[in-house]
Amino acid sequence: MGIEEERIAEFFDAYAAALREFDADATAALWGLPGMIVTDDFAGALESRADMAAGLASSYPLYRMLGLESAVPEIRAVSALTDRITTVRVRWSYLDADDEVIVTTDYEYLLRGDADGLRVYLAVGIDEAEALQRAARTRGVDLDLFG
């Protein structure tokens, strides 16, 4: 029962490739609609690919200032809920041009296998805000520039 782990790994490799390229449209295409993002400080659902792409792209200026060159997913846990719905815990490592870790952050995703492939329907940011704040302090990036 559930989505094959190899398929899940390939999905997150594609997601990482889109992040590395700062390609919000390619990343948004990996989401189902509506797509929901939940953190301790935010909860929102996006109902169009354009809104999803704009939301994803809003973090790119900070990632660029931190020096992000690569995103590497590490699948930490997979739990099949049904044959087509699975939760996946991913630890993301964001690397700079020297392949040094800028920050690691954990997310929990709800994936569904749709007719056209796997899609994220829910992403729960577990520690991203705190991790990015630490990285910004370490790298001398002023977070006030980002509102």
Side-chain angles (χ1 to χ4, degrees):
M1 177 161 106
I3 302 166
E4 302 85 18
E5 289 195 32
E6 181 178 322
R7 223 174 132 206
I8 293 168
E10 289 170 358
F11 175 84
F12 282 105
D13 286 344
Y15 202 103
L19 287 174
R20 279 191 294 275
E21 297 298 320
F22 295 103
D23 188 340
D25 291 327
T27 307
L30 297 170
W31 280 75
L33 298 174
M36 186 165 193
I37 297 173
V38 178
T39 68
D40 285 342
D41 301 317
F42 175 81
L46 300 166
E47 301 213 14
S48 75
R49 296 240 184 267
D51 288 344
M52 182 64 69
L56 293 164
S58 69
S59 62
Y60 292 169
L62 174 58
Y63 292 161
R64 284 188 172 106
M65 286 191 75
L66 290 173
L68 186 141
E69 290 286 328
S70 183
V72 179
E74 175 191 349
I75 295 173
R76 310 275 294 186
V78 175
S79 179
L81 303 178
T82 72
D83 286 344
R84 294 181 46 215
I85 300 172
T86 297
T87 61
V88 182
R89 170 75 57 106
V90 176
R91 172 157 297 156
W92 289 99
S93 294
Y94 298 147
L95 309 177
D96 64 17
D98 297 321
D99 286 336
E100 295 293 324
V101 174
I102 297 167
V103 68
T104 60
T105 182
D106 289 352
Y107 264 84
E108 186 86 19
Y109 294 93
L110 186 127
L111 297 182
R112 186 174 77 181
D114 290 344
D116 58 347
L118 295 181
R119 297 290 179 262
V120 174
Y121 280 86
L122 171 66
V124 178
I126 296 168
D127 61 351
E128 185 175 49
E130 297 87 2
L132 289 174
Q133 288 171 356
R134 282 192 310 275
R137 278 193 304 274
T138 300
R139 293 191 168 241
V141 173
D142 183 1
L143 290 178
D144 290 336
L145 297 173
F146 302 96

